[in-house]
Amino acid sequence: MMPLSDNALLRYDRQIALKDFDIDKQQQLAAAKVMIVGMGGLGCVVATYLASSGIGQLTLVDPDTVSLSNLPRQILFTETDCGKAKVEVAQHQLAMRNPECRVNIAQQAFDESSEWLAHCAEQQIVIDCTDQLSSRQQINRHCFATSTPLISGAAIRMEGCVISFTWQKDEPCYECLSHFFGEPIGSCVENGVMAPLTGIIGSLQAMEAIRHLTQYGSTTQGRYLLYDAMNFSFTSLKVKRNPHCRLCAYPQ
Ligand SMILES: [Zn+2]
């Protein structure tokens, strides 16, 4: 692993000072490759924290351009960015924040193609920051097929959740969860979302990515974290693999 530069040792001093984190784990972050799918309210926060905390390479995926109604949540964009490609603006902003982070971009939708399957296989983690069920299911399928750890987050109205899928025995996949919680509840366009909620959930996803990349702290083992902003409460549920899951049930 490449040694950290003097500049990096200074920049990441507060993380390196953490007990049992040290230079070793900071080096692991510098060597890490992470793909963020969706550069909305969650993706902007995840990308900002991962770039600033020293991830070596990020790949940002989003087909959309910036619009005025994005600005309350999507903190990498300003009013003058309206009409520009989200991934291009994000790449520029992240380069200013931390030039040591290499940022690749793809202004296209994540789909079932083998190209995306190959991209997933190259990553140490994929972070799902999309807001559509079909995209979430597709990301889950590709990550399952390539055994790429997946950190999924969602924020809608005044509720949010985060779960990591690391493909260990008995751990669920996203599809198991869809079965567990029934039908989707629609999008933020129809239901609304409070701006800081995406900041909280995105921050939790970034934290989980760092913890997973460096194996810092305990493993989540299929625990599902729910945040109820209306009632100032977090709930952690243990979710098991659905033995009838149409994706991950075994034996096939
Ligand atoms: Zn499953």
Side-chain angles (χ1 to χ4, degrees), residues 40-46 49 72-75 155 193-206 227:
L42 299 175
C44 280
V45 172
V46 172
Y49 271 122
R73 299 168 307 287
Q74 304 182 17
I75 55 168
V193 58
M194 191 66 79
L197 181 70
T198 52
I200 293 163
I201 301 300
S203 299
L204 285 167
Q205 286 179 283
Y227 173 53

Side-chain angles (χ1 to χ4, degrees), residues 140 171-177 241-242 245-249:
N140 181 57
E171 281 187 16
C173 79
Y174 183 78
E175 199 72 47
C176 297
L177 226 67
R241 188 190 289 257
N242 168 18
C245 176
R246 59 184 171 179
L247 179 68
C248 73

Side-chain angles (χ1 to χ4, degrees), residues 56-129:
Q57 180 182 300
L58 292 178
T59 300
L60 314 179
V61 184
D62 197 305
D64 292 338
T65 54
V66 178
S67 64
L68 198 60
S69 65
N70 298 152
L71 300 184
R73 299 168 307 287
Q74 304 182 17
I75 55 168
L76 282 171
F77 314 134
T78 62
E79 201 164 327
T80 55
D81 296 322
C82 287
K84 296 179 188 168
K86 288 184 177 181
V87 288
E88 284 181 11
V89 179
Q91 185 183 42
H92 177 70
Q93 291 293 331
L94 296 173
M96 288 200 292
R97 190 170 295 272
N98 188 355
E100 290 187 353
C101 177
R102 181 173 159 195
V103 181
N104 304 321
I105 56 172
Q107 194 191 353
Q108 46 187 290
F110 187 102
D111 61 25
E112 71 282 0
S113 69
S114 56
E115 183 196 349
W116 285 113
L117 191 72
H119 280 311
C120 284
E122 289 165 8
Q123 311 298 321
Q124 272 159 286
I125 289 190
V126 171
I127 307 188
D128 181 357
C129 297

